[in-house]
Short mmCIF file of all heavy atoms in Angstrom, two decimals:
data_model
loop_
_atom_site.label_atom_id
_atom_site.label_comp_id
_atom_site.label_asym_id
_atom_site.label_seq_id
_atom_site.Cartn_x
_atom_site.Cartn_y
_atom_site.Cartn_z
N ASP L 309 50.62 3.74 22.08
CA ASP L 309 50.63 3.38 20.66
C ASP L 309 50.35 4.64 19.85
O ASP L 309 49.30 5.28 20.00
CB ASP L 309 49.58 2.31 20.38
CG ASP L 309 49.75 1.65 19.01
OD1 ASP L 309 50.03 2.39 18.03
OD2 ASP L 309 49.62 0.43 18.91
N ASP L 310 51.28 4.99 18.99
CA ASP L 310 51.14 6.22 18.19
C ASP L 310 49.96 6.16 17.23
O ASP L 310 49.50 7.20 16.75
CB ASP L 310 52.43 6.46 17.39
CG ASP L 310 53.62 6.76 18.30
OD1 ASP L 310 53.39 7.20 19.44
OD2 ASP L 310 54.77 6.53 17.86
N ARG L 311 49.46 4.97 16.92
CA ARG L 311 48.36 4.85 15.96
C ARG L 311 46.99 5.16 16.57
O ARG L 311 46.01 5.26 15.85
CB ARG L 311 48.35 3.44 15.37
CG ARG L 311 49.62 3.04 14.64
CD ARG L 311 49.55 1.58 14.24
NE ARG L 311 49.40 0.72 15.43
CZ ARG L 311 49.05 -0.57 15.38
NH1 ARG L 311 48.81 -1.14 14.20
NH2 ARG L 311 48.95 -1.27 16.49
N LEU L 312 46.94 5.27 17.89
CA LEU L 312 45.65 5.46 18.56
C LEU L 312 44.89 6.67 18.03
O LEU L 312 43.67 6.64 17.89
CB LEU L 312 45.86 5.62 20.07
CG LEU L 312 45.99 4.35 20.90
CD1 LEU L 312 46.21 4.71 22.36
CD2 LEU L 312 44.73 3.49 20.76
N PHE L 313 45.62 7.74 17.75
CA PHE L 313 44.97 8.99 17.36
C PHE L 313 45.21 9.33 15.89
O PHE L 313 45.18 10.49 15.49
CB PHE L 313 45.48 10.13 18.25
CG PHE L 313 45.36 9.83 19.72
CD1 PHE L 313 46.48 9.87 20.54
CD2 PHE L 313 44.14 9.49 20.28
CE1 PHE L 313 46.37 9.58 21.90
CE2 PHE L 313 44.02 9.20 21.63
CZ PHE L 313 45.14 9.24 22.44
N SER L 314 45.44 8.29 15.10
CA SER L 314 45.73 8.50 13.68
C SER L 314 44.48 8.48 12.81
O SER L 314 44.56 8.69 11.60
CB SER L 314 46.70 7.42 13.19
OG SER L 314 46.08 6.14 13.23
N GLY L 315 43.32 8.20 13.41
CA GLY L 315 42.09 8.09 12.63
C GLY L 315 41.73 6.67 12.27
O GLY L 315 40.70 6.44 11.62
N LEU L 316 42.55 5.71 12.66
CA LEU L 316 42.25 4.30 12.37
C LEU L 316 41.07 3.83 13.22
O LEU L 316 40.85 4.30 14.33
CB LEU L 316 43.47 3.42 12.65
CG LEU L 316 44.64 3.54 11.68
CD1 LEU L 316 45.83 2.72 12.18
CD2 LEU L 316 44.24 3.11 10.28
N VAL L 317 40.33 2.86 12.67
CA VAL L 317 39.23 2.25 13.40
C VAL L 317 39.62 0.81 13.73
O VAL L 317 40.29 0.15 12.95
CB VAL L 317 37.92 2.30 12.56
CG1 VAL L 317 38.04 1.47 11.30
CG2 VAL L 317 36.73 1.88 13.39
N TRP L 318 39.19 0.35 14.91
CA TRP L 318 39.63 -0.95 15.42
C TRP L 318 38.43 -1.83 15.71
O TRP L 318 37.33 -1.34 15.99
CB TRP L 318 40.43 -0.76 16.70
CG TRP L 318 41.45 0.33 16.64
CD1 TRP L 318 41.26 1.65 16.93
CD2 TRP L 318 42.82 0.22 16.22
NE1 TRP L 318 42.40 2.36 16.74
CE2 TRP L 318 43.39 1.51 16.30
CE3 TRP L 318 43.61 -0.86 15.80
CZ2 TRP L 318 44.71 1.77 15.98
CZ3 TRP L 318 44.94 -0.60 15.48
CH2 TRP L 318 45.48 0.69 15.57
N SER L 319 38.66 -3.14 15.70
CA SER L 319 37.62 -4.06 16.14
C SER L 319 37.53 -4.00 17.67
O SER L 319 38.43 -3.48 18.34
CB SER L 319 37.92 -5.49 15.69
OG SER L 319 39.03 -6.01 16.44
N GLY L 320 36.47 -4.57 18.22
CA GLY L 320 36.31 -4.55 19.67
C GLY L 320 37.46 -5.23 20.39
O GLY L 320 37.94 -4.74 21.42
N GLU L 321 37.92 -6.36 19.88
CA GLU L 321 39.03 -7.07 20.51
C GLU L 321 40.30 -6.24 20.47
O GLU L 321 41.05 -6.18 21.45
CB GLU L 321 39.25 -8.41 19.80
CG GLU L 321 38.20 -9.46 20.13
CD GLU L 321 38.53 -10.82 19.54
OE1 GLU L 321 39.36 -10.85 18.60
OE2 GLU L 321 37.97 -11.82 20.00
N GLN L 322 40.57 -5.60 19.33
CA GLN L 322 41.76 -4.75 19.23
C GLN L 322 41.64 -3.54 20.14
O GLN L 322 42.61 -3.13 20.78
CB GLN L 322 41.94 -4.30 17.78
CG GLN L 322 42.30 -5.41 16.81
CD GLN L 322 42.28 -4.94 15.37
OE1 GLN L 322 41.39 -4.20 14.96
NE2 GLN L 322 43.28 -5.36 14.61
N ALA L 323 40.43 -2.96 20.19
CA ALA L 323 40.21 -1.79 21.04
C ALA L 323 40.44 -2.12 22.51
O ALA L 323 40.93 -1.29 23.28
CB ALA L 323 38.80 -1.25 20.83
N LEU L 324 40.10 -3.34 22.92
CA LEU L 324 40.31 -3.76 24.30
C LEU L 324 41.80 -3.82 24.62
O LEU L 324 42.25 -3.38 25.69
CB LEU L 324 39.65 -5.12 24.53
CG LEU L 324 39.76 -5.70 25.94
CD1 LEU L 324 39.13 -4.78 26.96
CD2 LEU L 324 39.12 -7.09 25.99
#
Side-chain angles (χ1 to χ4, degrees):
D309 194 317
D310 294 337
R311 300 173 300 166
L312 276 179
F313 308 123
S314 66
L316 289 174
V317 64
W318 315 88
S319 71
E321 285 186 341
Q322 292 172 318
L324 181 60

